[in-house]
Amino acid sequence: MISIEQELQKNGINAICPINTFNVNEIAMHTANLLCSKFPDFNLDYNDIFTRISRLNMYIADMPSGMSDACYYYRNETLYFRKGISFEEIKNLAFHEIVHHFQEIKDSNGNLRRLGLCSYLKLKSYGLALNEASVQLMSSFANSEARDTVTYYGITFPTDSPSYYPLLCNLIKQIGYLTGFAVLFESTFFSNNAFFDKFKFLFGEKPAFKIQQNFDKLLDIEEKIIKINMKIQTKDMSYYKFKNATDTINHYKSLIKKTFFDTQNLILTSYFNARAKEVRTTNEIEEFRKRLYSYSILIGTAEDYTFFNDYYLSKMLEIDRKYEEITNKDKNYLTVVNKSKLSIIINSFKNLFARKNSEYQDVNNL
């Protein structure tokens, strides 16, 4: 096993100076306050959390361009922050990295075995991107970051984290809306199976693992783009090599777009197909309609993306047929009055993308 110093150097991290005790304590106070106030269901003890954070090593460091402005190394329980960022930025960034510290589960030899939603088997990780996305969503919520609608890779989407893992945060919020954010954040922080058990139950085991794999794929492709961009910026290249590099980046960008929509479509269909089969009453049908309609404000879109619109229309027709079956079976009605299928579809579809935040507090308030 390589030493900690060698591992840091391999990743281009060079510690410059430690953060002084006063500032470390301020970071600890800030993060402990956020954890206890924003996540009351965790039942955390403020003094214990503050003490554990204040004992962590924290350094200002030179870090490679394209890398995150902060990182946590579990082997020496140390946080590193990029030289040049403000102390307010450090406090906000610290939340994400400190959650990693509380997540870690090690074996008797000090090797990492679990980190929130991510499991480690020998040298391979499973669910790393899913975990990073959930931790960042927690961080954005804790720091009250402003939501924004952004466009990356030809995809326009709402995100709680425009600067860090924006695509992954969009997808994890879609999942959290369907599973419940409480179980997502609990499993993320305490590294337990509650979220993934519910994830598999609601979406199906095969789709759940495929979604997890696609998260890792998206993270891996973005890291490849960052590395190629670093080479372009730091090395002299011939025209042929430069063109090859830019062509590769464009290929990866197209792959990100495809993988994002494949993942979004799988989240959508695996959950709502299963729920549509379960509805038995008119109240359940109305709840299904509202849930699918509200889901529309979370999705990513593109000029050539029509899948959600088509799926929404087909589900409304399917649910309308169920509604008619249920109401027509009720012998107590002397007269059964049904809305026409066409009017139901037109009325529900007409305002599908009229996204008024005030109408969807259940979605936007974690």
Side-chain angles (χ1 to χ4, degrees):
M1 180 183 291
I2 64 174
S3 68
I4 293 171
E5 289 73 20
Q6 289 173 321
E7 188 173 344
L8 290 171
Q9 288 176 4
K10 180 181 176 182
N11 288 280
I13 298 174
N14 296 299
I16 298 173
C17 63
I19 295 177
N20 64 59
T21 303
F22 178 83
N23 285 341
V24 168
N25 286 339
E26 189 171 344
I27 291 169
M29 185 185 303
H30 175 74
T31 306
N33 276 328
L34 290 179
L35 281 169
C36 293
S37 63
K38 292 298 185 78
F39 305 96
D41 292 344
F42 288 1
N43 295 315
L44 300 174
D45 179 85
Y46 174 86
N47 291 328
D48 175 62
I49 296 297
F50 172 84
T51 300
R52 289 178 62 180
I53 297 171
S54 63
R55 290 174 178 171
L56 292 172
N57 302 309
M58 301 186 192
Y59 283 86
I60 301 298
D62 281 321
M63 299 166 72
S65 175
M67 188 176 178
S68 174
D69 289 329
C71 68
Y72 171 72
Y73 267 73
Y74 80 93
R75 287 182 62 190
N76 60 356
E77 298 187 340
T78 299
L79 282 75
Y80 297 92
F81 299 94
R82 184 186 302 279
K83 178 183 68 175
I85 62 174
S86 70
F87 185 64
E88 284 304 308
E89 288 178 286
I90 287 175
K91 286 200 299 183
N92 289 338
L93 290 168
F95 185 94
H96 183 116
E97 307 308 326
I98 288 169
V99 169
H100 283 327
H101 171 68
F102 286 103
Q103 289 181 314
E104 60 186 18
I105 296 176
K106 302 175 183 177
D107 62 18
S108 56
N109 296 319
N111 298 313
L112 197 60
R113 285 291 169 256
R114 183 146 183 177
L115 196 69
L117 306 180
C118 177
S119 297
Y120 292 84
L121 185 61
K122 295 183 179 178
L123 298 177
K124 189 167 177 60
S125 64
Y126 300 88
L128 177 63
L130 202 66
N131 185 62
E132 286 295 337
S134 187
V135 173
Q136 186 54 38
L137 190 63
M138 286 179 65
S139 179
S140 296
F141 171 58
N143 287 303
S144 301
E145 289 189 27
R147 297 180 182 90
D148 198 4
T149 298
V150 297
T151 300
Y152 292 116
Y153 311 111
I155 309 163
T156 300
F157 57 96
T159 182
D160 291 42
S161 179
S163 300
Y164 299 98
Y165 305 114
L167 277 175
L168 294 178
C169 281
N170 170 272
L171 290 172
I172 198 66
K173 188 166 185 180
Q174 291 186 37
I175 295 171
Y177 169 65
L178 300 173
T179 62
F181 293 105
V183 69
L184 172 64
F185 291 161
E186 176 203 326
S187 285
T188 299
F189 191 81
F190 293 106
S191 298
N192 63 41
N193 294 324
F195 163 74
F196 211 78
D197 288 345
K198 189 171 185 180
F199 189 32
K200 290 187 293 183
F201 175 76
L202 292 176
F203 293 74
E205 185 168 335
K206 187 175 180 181
F209 280 111
K210 180 60 177 176
I211 291 166
Q212 180 194 63
Q213 291 169 6
N214 282 358
F215 266 70
D216 285 335
K217 183 177 179 180
L218 284 168
L219 182 61
D220 180 63
I221 298 170
E222 287 201 282
E223 288 178 349
K224 287 178 178 177
I225 290 175
I226 289 171
K227 289 178 180 177
I228 295 173
N229 274 326
M230 286 178 63
K231 285 183 180 179
I232 291 174
Q233 294 169 11
T234 58
K235 292 185 178 181
D236 290 330
M237 289 185 172
S238 65
Y239 171 78
Y240 174 79
K241 286 186 177 181
F242 176 80
K243 186 177 185 306
N244 183 59
T246 55
D247 286 346
T248 302
I249 287 175
N250 288 332
H251 166 71
Y252 282 145
K253 287 181 177 179
S254 297
L255 189 55
I256 284 176
K257 183 177 179 181
K258 180 181 183 305
T259 305
F260 175 88
F261 282 120
D262 285 348
T263 308
Q264 176 171 276
N265 295 345
L266 184 55
I267 293 169
L268 172 70
T269 56
S270 58
Y271 178 85
F272 284 101
N273 284 353
R275 303 293 78 73
K277 293 176 182 177
E278 296 171 351
V279 295
R280 296 289 183 269
T281 68
T282 54
N283 284 340
E284 289 175 349
I285 286 174
E286 289 308 314
E287 284 303 311
F288 179 91
R289 281 177 174 154
K290 290 176 183 177
R291 197 157 184 77
L292 180 55
Y293 184 82
S294 297
Y295 183 82
S296 69
I297 73 168
L298 299 173
I299 66 169
T301 60
E303 289 184 2
D304 56 350
Y305 178 73
T306 62
F307 186 92
F308 183 86
N309 294 20
D310 298 337
Y311 180 82
Y312 182 86
L313 185 60
S314 70
K315 277 300 167 212
M316 290 302 101
L317 286 169
E318 179 184 334
I319 290 300
D320 183 56
R321 286 193 293 269
K322 282 202 172 190
Y323 185 89
E324 288 186 356
E325 290 172 6
I326 293 169
T327 54
N328 286 329
K329 283 180 181 179
D330 193 337
K331 304 293 186 181
N332 295 324
Y333 284 115
L334 295 176
T335 304
V336 178
V337 180
N338 290 315
K339 293 182 180 179
S340 73
K341 292 180 182 179
L342 183 59
S343 68
I344 289 175
I345 299 305
I346 290 175
N347 288 335
S348 59
F349 196 69
K350 182 171 60 177
N351 296 316
L352 178 58
F353 295 107
R355 302 178 176 185
K356 297 180 181 178
N357 290 336
S358 61
E359 298 176 8
Y360 302 108
Q361 292 303 311
D362 58 326
V363 178
N364 285 327
N365 289 332
L366 302 181

